Amino acid sequence: MDALSADWLGICRRIVAVQRQLFEATPGSAARTVYEGVGEGGDRSLVIDRRCEDAVFAELEELAAAGASFVAISEERGEVVFAEGGAVRVVIDPIDGSLNTRRTLPSHSLSIAVASGPSMADVEFGYVYDFGASEEFAAGRDRGATLDGGRIDVAADAEQLELLGVESAAPGSMQALEQALDGSVFRLRVIGSIAITAAYVAAGRLDGMLSLRSCRSVDIAAAQLIVREAGGAVEFGRLALDRVDLDLAARYPVAAGAGERSLGTIRNAIEEAG
């Protein structure tokens, strides 16, 4: 079986069903604040993170048993080779927005991307499921982006932004950015999941987004395709997409917008804020 031709939408939906049961069985913050070592991504791992990742890998193991070869790249386990490995990459964040999950804030997501090669430019399928809103964002390369099966498009591109999503928003990094954005952005929104925030750009809910800290491939690989297939634009600093690696060790600044004008506003603010 060719891993790229697998029923990835069905696979992702089965994973969501299992993860939903895990969240329902672990309803409080205390139960969700149980740690278990450090993941390959460098963060302390919650037990619920591990269990959500197990749900993903159970599906991947079945896919490999059916004859598919691929390399999984996951926040917790790192790089795992299935069968002969090969060029196909499956990039996984079992829980994007782990702090939200731990504190029982509703905005957290499953993010899965499938790529035909090692870079962001090679992503062929992207999936983000927002557990708080029970919404499914998906995209196929050159096939558009959808929300719960219906086509989505970004907002109108403009230099003046009404709503900008900001992620990795540590207080010490906000002041300079706020000053740089003053006059060009009406309001800021902090959701707590890079994947959801970018997906909201794709759906026209936000005019743009940025992360104040460089992010990993697992956080953005799926959502960046969803934004681009919805007609938007994504930047990883000054790098072309085929220069942005999917491996877990890589870190990149990320910004997304409805188009070049909105991205220009965000880019100028980032540069001014230093």
Side-chain angles (χ1 to χ4, degrees), residues 13-218:
R13 287 172 174 170
R14 289 193 294 273
I15 293 167
V16 165
V18 174
Q19 290 188 345
R20 187 179 294 284
Q21 292 175 350
L22 288 171
F23 297 134
E24 290 173 355
T26 318
S29 183
R32 294 182 180 186
T33 310
V34 180
Y35 289 97
E36 185 180 72
V38 177
E40 291 297 321
D43 294 336
R44 292 180 70 195
S45 296
L46 294 162
V47 170
I48 197 166
D49 283 324
R50 296 281 190 182
R51 290 178 178 172
C52 284
E53 186 184 59
D54 288 345
V56 177
F57 274 79
E59 287 288 337
L60 297 185
E61 286 160 6
E62 287 195 16
L63 183 61
S69 295
F70 54 92
V71 177
I73 300 168
S74 183
E75 181 180 17
E76 304 302 329
R77 300 193 195 190
E79 188 172 297
V80 180
V81 177
F82 284 86
E84 297 176 0
V88 175
R89 301 288 187 269
V90 182
V91 185
I92 309 145
D93 195 344
I95 305 178
D96 184 50
S98 291
L99 182 56
N100 281 1
T101 306
R102 180 167 69 82
R103 299 297 293 267
T104 69
L105 292 168
S107 294
H108 54 90
S109 63
L110 166 70
S111 173
I112 295 180
V114 183
S116 56
S119 77
M120 287 289 172
D122 298 318
V123 176
E124 305 284 345
F125 171 81
Y127 183 92
V128 173
Y129 188 85
D130 179 351
F131 284 94
S134 298
E135 291 182 330
E136 175 188 87
F137 297 87
R141 189 172 183 178
D142 299 324
R143 289 181 286 166
T146 61
L147 166 57
D148 293 336
R151 172 78 190 222
I152 54 174
D153 298 287
V154 294
D157 190 25
E159 293 179 6
Q160 294 292 119
L161 280 61
E162 184 175 29
L163 280 176
L164 175 69
V166 180
E167 289 300 322
S168 301
S173 61
M174 287 294 294
Q175 184 175 5
L177 178 71
E178 289 172 353
Q179 292 176 345
L181 291 169
D182 189 33
S184 58
V185 174
F186 182 64
R187 288 288 187 271
L188 301 179
R189 292 290 183 267
V190 181
I191 292 165
S193 163
I194 288 173
I196 293 175
T197 303
Y200 283 2
V201 174
R205 296 172 176 175
L206 297 173
D207 300 304
M209 67 82 66
L210 75 151
S211 177
L212 292 176
R213 185 178 67 185
S214 293
C215 73
R216 302 161 299 189
S217 64
V218 295

Side-chain angles (χ1 to χ4, degrees), residues 1 130 175 220 252 270 274:
M1 172 187 284
D130 179 351
Q175 184 175 5
I220 194 63
Y252 299 98
I270 293 170

